[in-house]
Coordinates of all heavy atoms in Angstrom, one line a residue:
T1114 N 189.7 147.2 147.4 CA 188.5 146.7 146.7 C 187.3 146.7 147.7 O 187.5 146.6 148.9 CB 188.7 145.3 146.1 OG1 189.2 144.5 147.2 CG2 189.7 145.3 145.0
A1115 N 186.1 146.9 147.1 CA 184.9 146.9 147.9 C 184.7 145.5 148.5 O 185.3 144.5 148.1 CB 183.7 147.3 147.0
P1116 N 183.7 145.4 149.5 CA 183.5 144.1 150.1 C 183.1 143.1 149.0 O 182.4 143.4 148.0 CB 182.3 144.4 151.0 CG 182.3 145.8 151.3 CD 182.9 146.5 150.1
P1117 N 183.6 141.8 149.1 CA 183.3 140.8 148.1 C 181.8 140.6 147.9 O 181.4 140.4 146.7 CB 183.8 139.5 148.8 CG 184.6 139.9 150.0 CD 184.4 141.3 150.2
E1118 N 180.9 140.8 148.9 CA 179.5 140.7 148.7 C 178.9 141.7 147.8 O 178.0 141.5 147.1 CB 178.8 140.8 150.1 CG 179.1 139.7 151.1 CD 180.4 139.9 151.8 OE1 181.1 140.9 151.6 OE2 180.7 139.0 152.7
V1119 N 179.5 142.9 147.8 CA 179.1 144.0 146.9 C 179.5 143.7 145.5 O 178.7 143.8 144.5 CB 179.7 145.3 147.4 CG1 179.4 146.4 146.3 CG2 179.2 145.7 148.7
I1120 N 180.8 143.2 145.3 CA 181.3 142.9 144.0 C 180.4 141.8 143.4 O 180.1 141.8 142.2 CB 182.8 142.5 144.1 CG1 183.6 143.7 144.6 CG2 183.3 142.0 142.7 CD1 185.0 143.4 144.9
E1121 N 180.1 140.8 144.2 CA 179.3 139.7 143.7 C 177.9 140.1 143.1 O 177.5 139.7 142.1 CB 179.1 138.7 144.9 CG 178.7 137.3 144.5 CD 178.5 136.5 145.7 OE1 179.3 136.6 146.6 OE2 177.5 135.7 145.8
V1122 N 177.3 141.0 143.9 CA 175.9 141.5 143.4 C 176.1 142.2 142.1 O 175.3 142.1 141.2 CB 175.3 142.3 144.6 CG1 174.2 143.2 144.0 CG2 174.8 141.5 145.7
L1123 N 177.1 143.0 142.0 CA 177.3 143.8 140.8 C 177.6 142.9 139.6 O 177.1 143.1 138.5 CB 178.5 144.9 141.0 CG 178.2 146.0 142.1 CD1 179.4 146.9 142.3 CD2 177.0 146.8 141.6
K1124 N 178.4 141.9 139.9 CA 178.7 140.9 138.8 C 177.4 140.3 138.3 O 177.2 140.1 137.1 CB 179.7 139.9 139.2 CG 181.1 140.3 139.2 CD 182.0 139.2 139.6 CE 183.5 139.6 139.5 NZ 184.4 138.7 140.3
E1125 N 176.6 139.9 139.2 CA 175.3 139.3 138.8 C 174.5 140.2 137.9 O 173.9 139.8 137.0 CB 174.4 139.0 140.1 CG 174.8 137.7 140.7 CD 174.1 137.5 142.1 OE1 173.0 138.2 142.3 OE2 174.6 136.8 142.9
R1126 N 174.5 141.5 138.3 CA 173.7 142.5 137.5 C 174.3 142.7 136.1 O 173.6 142.7 135.1 CB 173.6 143.9 138.2 CG 172.7 143.9 139.4 CD 171.3 143.5 139.1 NE 170.6 144.4 138.1 CZ 170.1 144.0 137.0 NH1 170.1 142.7 136.6 NH2 169.5 144.9 136.2
V1127 N 175.6 142.7 136.1 CA 176.3 142.9 134.8 C 176.0 141.6 133.9 O 175.7 141.8 132.7 CB 177.8 143.0 135.0 CG1 178.6 142.9 133.6 CG2 178.2 144.4 135.6
D1128 N 176.1 140.5 134.5 CA 175.8 139.2 133.7 C 174.4 139.2 133.2 O 174.2 138.6 132.1 CB 176.1 138.0 134.6 CG 177.5 137.7 134.8 OD1 178.3 138.4 134.1 OD2 177.9 137.0 135.8
H1129 N 173.5 139.8 133.9 CA 172.1 139.8 133.4 C 172.0 140.6 132.0 O 171.3 140.2 131.1 CB 171.2 140.5 134.4 CG 169.7 140.4 134.1 ND1 169.0 141.5 133.7 CD2 168.9 139.3 134.0 CE1 167.8 141.1 133.4 NE2 167.7 139.8 133.6
G1130 N 172.8 141.6 131.9 CA 173.0 142.3 130.6 C 172.0 143.4 130.3 O 172.1 144.0 129.2
I1131 N 170.9 143.5 131.0 CA 170.0 144.6 130.7 C 170.0 145.6 131.9 O 169.9 145.3 133.0 CB 168.5 144.0 130.6 CG1 168.5 143.0 129.5 CG2 167.5 145.1 130.4 CD1 167.2 142.2 129.4
F1132 N 170.2 146.9 131.5 CA 170.4 147.9 132.5 C 169.4 149.0 132.4 O 169.7 150.2 132.3 CB 171.9 148.5 132.3 CG 172.9 147.4 132.3 CD1 173.7 147.2 131.2 CD2 173.1 146.5 133.4 CE1 174.6 146.1 131.1 CE2 174.0 145.5 133.3 CZ 174.8 145.3 132.2
G1133 N 168.1 148.7 132.4 CA 167.1 149.6 132.2 C 166.8 150.4 133.5 O 167.5 150.2 134.5
Y1134 N 165.7 151.2 133.5 CA 165.3 152.0 134.7 C 165.1 151.0 135.8 O 164.5 149.9 135.6 CB 164.1 152.8 134.4 CG 164.3 153.9 133.3 CD1 163.6 153.8 132.1 CD2 165.2 154.9 133.6 CE1 163.8 154.8 131.2 CE2 165.4 155.9 132.6 CZ 164.7 155.8 131.4 OH 164.9 156.8 130.5
T1135 N 165.5 151.4 137.0 CA 165.4 150.5 138.1 C 164.8 151.2 139.3 O 165.1 152.3 139.7 CB 166.9 150.1 138.5 OG1 167.5 149.5 137.4 CG2 166.9 149.1 139.6
G1136 N 163.9 150.5 140.0 CA 163.2 151.0 141.2 C 163.9 150.6 142.5 O 164.9 149.8 142.5
R1137 N 163.4 151.1 143.6 CA 163.9 150.7 144.9 C 162.9 149.8 145.6 O 161.7 150.3 145.8 CB 164.3 151.9 145.7 CG 165.3 152.8 145.1 CD 165.7 154.0 145.9 NE 166.6 154.8 145.0 CZ 166.1 155.8 144.3 NH1 164.9 156.2 144.3 NH2 166.9 156.5 143.5
T1138 N 163.3 148.6 146.0 CA 162.3 147.7 146.6 C 162.3 147.9 148.1 O 163.1 148.6 148.7 CB 162.8 146.2 146.4 OG1 164.1 146.1 147.0 CG2 162.9 145.9 144.9
D1139 N 161.3 147.2 148.8 CA 161.2 147.3 150.3 C 162.5 146.8 150.9 O 162.9 147.4 151.9 CB 160.1 146.3 150.8 CG 158.7 146.9 150.4 OD1 158.7 148.1 150.0 OD2 157.7 146.2 150.5
S1140 N 163.2 145.8 150.3 CA 164.4 145.3 151.0 C 165.5 146.4 150.9 O 166.4 146.4 151.7 CB 164.9 144.0 150.4 OG 165.1 144.2 149.0
Y1141 N 165.5 147.2 149.8 CA 166.5 148.3 149.7 C 166.3 149.3 151.0 O 167.2 149.6 151.7 CB 166.2 149.1 148.4 CG 167.0 150.3 148.2 CD1 168.3 150.3 147.6 CD2 166.5 151.6 148.7 CE1 169.0 151.5 147.5 CE2 167.2 152.8 148.5 CZ 168.5 152.7 147.9 OH 169.2 153.9 147.8
F1142 N 165.1 149.7 151.1 CA 164.8 150.7 152.3 C 165.1 150.0 153.6 O 165.6 150.6 154.5 CB 163.4 151.2 152.2 CG 163.2 152.1 151.0 CD1 162.5 151.7 149.9 CD2 163.7 153.4 151.0 CE1 162.4 152.6 148.8 CE2 163.6 154.3 150.0 CZ 162.9 153.9 148.8
D1143 N 164.7 148.7 153.7 CA 164.9 148.0 154.9 C 166.4 147.9 155.3 O 166.7 148.0 156.5 CB 164.3 146.6 154.8 CG 164.1 146.0 156.2 OD1 163.6 146.7 157.1 OD2 164.5 144.8 156.3
S1144 N 167.2 147.7 154.3 CA 168.7 147.6 154.6 C 169.2 148.9 155.2 O 170.0 148.9 156.1 CB 169.5 147.3 153.3 OG 169.5 148.4 152.4
I1145 N 168.6 150.1 154.8 CA 169.0 151.4 155.4 C 168.5 151.5 156.8 O 169.2 151.9 157.7 CB 168.5 152.5 154.5 CG1 169.1 152.4 153.1 CG2 168.9 153.9 155.1 CD1 168.5 153.4 152.0
V1146 N 167.2 151.1 157.0 CA 166.6 151.3 158.3 C 167.4 150.4 159.3 O 167.7 150.9 160.4 CB 165.1 150.8 158.2 CG1 164.5 150.7 159.6 CG2 164.3 151.8 157.4
Q1147 N 167.7 149.2 158.9 CA 168.4 148.3 159.8 C 169.8 148.8 160.1 O 170.3 148.7 161.2 CB 168.5 146.8 159.2 CG 167.2 146.2 158.9 CD 166.4 145.9 160.1 OE1 167.0 145.8 161.2 NE2 165.1 145.8 160.0
W1148 N 170.5 149.3 159.1 CA 171.9 149.7 159.2 C 172.0 150.9 160.2 O 172.8 150.9 161.1 CB 172.4 150.1 157.9 CG 173.9 150.6 157.9 CD1 174.3 151.9 157.9 CD2 175.0 149.8 158.0 NE1 175.7 151.9 158.0 CE2 176.1 150.6 158.0 CE3 175.2 148.4 158.0 CZ2 177.5 150.1 158.0 CZ3 176.5 147.9 158.0 CH2 177.6 148.8 158.0
V1149 N 171.1 151.8 160.0 CA 171.1 153.0 160.9 C 170.8 152.7 162.3 O 171.4 153.2 163.3 CB 170.1 154.1 160.3 CG1 170.0 155.3 161.3 CG2 170.6 154.6 159.0
D1150 N 169.9 151.7 162.5 CA 169.6 151.3 163.9 C 170.8 150.5 164.5 O 171.2 150.8 165.6 CB 168.3 150.4 163.8 CG 167.9 150.0 165.2 OD1 168.3 150.6 166.2 OD2 167.1 149.0 165.3
K1151 N 171.3 149.5 163.7 CA 172.3 148.7 164.2 C 173.6 149.5 164.5 O 174.3 149.3 165.6 CB 172.6 147.6 163.2 CG 173.6 146.5 163.7 CD 173.5 145.3 162.8 CE 173.5 145.6 161.3 NZ 173.8 144.6 160.4
R1152 N 174.0 150.3 163.6 CA 175.3 151.0 163.8 C 175.2 152.2 164.6 O 176.2 152.6 165.3 CB 175.9 151.4 162.4 CG 176.1 150.3 161.4 CD 177.3 149.4 161.8 NE 178.6 150.0 161.9 CZ 179.7 149.3 162.2 NH1 179.7 148.0 162.3 NH2 180.9 149.9 162.3
H1153 N 174.1 152.9 164.6 CA 174.0 154.2 165.3 C 172.8 154.3 166.3 O 172.6 155.4 166.8 CB 173.9 155.3 164.2 CG 175.0 155.2 163.2 ND1 176.3 155.2 163.5 CD2 175.0 155.1 161.9 CE1 177.1 155.1 162.4 NE2 176.2 155.0 161.4
G1154 N 172.1 153.3 166.4 CA 171.0 153.3 167.4 C 169.9 154.2 167.2 O 169.2 154.7 168.1
W1155 N 169.7 154.6 165.9 CA 168.6 155.5 165.6 C 167.5 154.8 164.8 O 167.8 154.1 163.8 CB 169.2 156.7 164.7 CG 168.2 157.7 164.4 CD1 167.1 158.1 165.0 CD2 168.3 158.6 163.2 NE1 166.4 159.2 164.4 CE2 167.1 159.5 163.3 CE3 169.1 158.7 162.1 CZ2 166.9 160.5 162.3 CZ3 168.9 159.7 161.2 CH2 167.8 160.6 161.3
K1156 N 166.3 154.8 165.3 CA 165.2 154.1 164.7 C 164.5 155.1 163.7 O 163.9 156.0 164.1 CB 164.2 153.6 165.7 CG 164.8 152.6 166.7 CD 163.8 151.7 167.3 CE 164.5 150.7 168.2 NZ 165.7 150.0 167.7
I1157 N 164.7 154.7 162.4 CA 164.0 155.6 161.4 C 163.0 154.8 160.7 O 162.9 153.6 160.8 CB 165.1 156.1 160.4 CG1 165.8 155.0 159.6 CG2 166.1 157.0 161.1 CD1 166.6 155.4 158.4
E1158 N 162.1 155.5 159.9 CA 161.1 154.8 159.2 C 161.4 154.9 157.7 O 162.0 155.9 157.2 CB 159.7 155.5 159.4 CG 159.2 155.3 160.8 CD 158.0 156.1 161.2 OE1 157.3 156.5 160.2 OE2 157.7 156.3 162.3
A1159 N 161.1 153.8 157.0 CA 161.4 153.7 155.6 C 160.9 154.9 154.8 O 161.6 155.4 153.9 CB 160.9 152.4 155.0
N1160 N 159.7 155.3 155.1 CA 159.2 156.4 154.3 C 159.8 157.8 154.6 O 159.4 158.8 154.0 CB 157.6 156.5 154.4 CG 157.2 156.9 155.8 OD1 158.0 157.3 156.6 ND2 155.9 156.8 156.1
W1161 N 160.8 157.9 155.5 CA 161.5 159.1 155.7 C 162.7 159.2 154.7 O 163.3 160.3 154.6 CB 162.1 159.2 157.1 CG 161.2 159.2 158.3 CD1 159.8 159.3 158.2 CD2 161.5 159.1 159.7 NE1 159.3 159.2 159.5 CE2 160.4 159.1 160.4 CE3 162.8 158.9 160.3 CZ2 160.4 159.1 161.8 CZ3 162.8 158.8 161.7 CH2 161.6 158.9 162.4
I1162 N 163.0 158.1 154.0 CA 164.2 158.1 153.2 C 163.9 158.6 151.8 O 163.0 158.2 151.1 CB 164.7 156.7 153.1 CG1 165.0 156.2 154.6 CG2 166.0 156.6 152.3 CD1 165.3 154.7 154.6
R1163 N 164.7 159.5 151.4 CA 164.7 160.0 150.0 C 166.1 159.8 149.4 O 167.1 159.4 150.1 CB 164.4 161.5 149.9 CG 163.0 161.8 150.3 CD 162.0 161.3 149.3 NE 160.6 161.5 149.6 CZ 159.9 160.7 150.3 NH1 160.4 159.6 150.8 NH2 158.6 160.9 150.6
H1164 N 166.2 159.9 148.1 CA 167.4 159.6 147.3 C 168.2 160.9 147.0 O 167.6 162.0 147.0 CB 167.0 159.0 146.0 CG 168.1 158.8 145.1 ND1 169.1 157.9 145.3 CD2 168.4 159.4 143.9 CE1 170.0 157.9 144.3 NE2 169.6 158.9 143.5
A1165 N 169.5 160.7 146.8 CA 170.3 161.8 146.2 C 171.4 161.1 145.5 O 171.9 160.0 145.9 CB 170.9 162.7 147.2
P1166 N 171.9 161.6 144.3 CA 173.0 161.0 143.6 C 174.3 161.2 144.4 O 175.3 160.6 144.0 CB 173.0 161.7 142.3 CG 172.2 162.9 142.4 CD 171.3 162.7 143.6
G1167 N 174.3 162.0 145.4 CA 175.5 162.2 146.2 C 175.1 163.1 147.4 O 174.0 163.7 147.4
V1168 N 175.9 163.1 148.4 CA 175.6 164.0 149.5 C 175.8 165.4 149.1 O 174.9 166.3 149.6 CB 176.5 163.6 150.7 CG1 176.4 164.6 151.8 CG2 176.0 162.2 151.3
V1169 N 176.7 165.8 148.3 CA 176.9 167.2 147.9 C 175.6 167.6 147.1 O 175.1 168.7 147.4 CB 178.2 167.4 147.1 CG1 178.2 168.8 146.6 CG2 179.4 167.1 148.0
P1170 N 175.1 166.9 146.2 CA 173.8 167.3 145.5 C 172.7 167.5 146.6 O 171.9 168.4 146.4 CB 173.5 166.1 144.6 CG 174.8 165.5 144.3 CD 175.7 165.7 145.5
A1171 N 172.7 166.7 147.6 CA 171.7 166.8 148.7 C 171.8 168.2 149.4 O 170.9 168.8 149.8 CB 171.7 165.7 149.7
L1172 N 173.1 168.6 149.6 CA 173.3 169.9 150.3 C 172.8 171.0 149.3 O 172.1 171.9 149.8 CB 174.8 170.1 150.5 CG 175.6 169.2 151.4 CD1 177.1 169.6 151.4 CD2 175.1 169.1 152.8
S1173 N 173.1 170.9 148.0 CA 172.7 171.9 147.1 C 171.2 171.9 147.0 O 170.5 173.0 147.0 CB 173.3 171.6 145.7 OG 174.7 171.5 145.8
M1174 N 170.5 170.7 146.9 CA 169.1 170.7 146.8 C 168.4 171.3 148.1 O 167.4 172.0 148.0 CB 168.6 169.2 146.6 CG 168.8 168.8 145.2 SD 168.0 167.2 144.9 CE 169.3 166.0 145.4
S1175 N 169.0 171.1 149.2 CA 168.5 171.7 150.5 C 168.6 173.2 150.4 O 167.6 173.9 150.9 CB 169.3 171.1 151.7 OG 169.2 169.7 151.7

Side-chain angles (χ1 to χ4, degrees):
T1114 51
E1118 294 82 359
V1119 172
I1120 296 171
E1121 196 180 320
V1122 161
L1123 293 176
K1124 279 185 177 159
E1125 274 169 25
R1126 286 304 297 126
V1127 168
D1128 285 347
H1129 187 252
I1131 298 176
F1132 310 117
Y1134 296 117
T1135 303
R1137 299 182 189 92
T1138 58
D1139 288 347
S1140 61
Y1141 172 92
F1142 289 105
D1143 196 46
S1144 72
I1145 300 170
V1146 170
Q1147 301 296 335
W1148 182 260
V1149 172
D1150 184 16
K1151 187 165 41 162
R1152 300 291 300 184
H1153 309 303
W1155 183 26
K1156 297 209 179 311
I1157 61 169
E1158 292 175 19
N1160 68 9
W1161 296 352
I1162 301 168
R1163 289 293 177 272
H1164 171 70
V1168 166
V1169 175
L1172 301 179
S1173 303
M1174 284 189 273
S1175 302

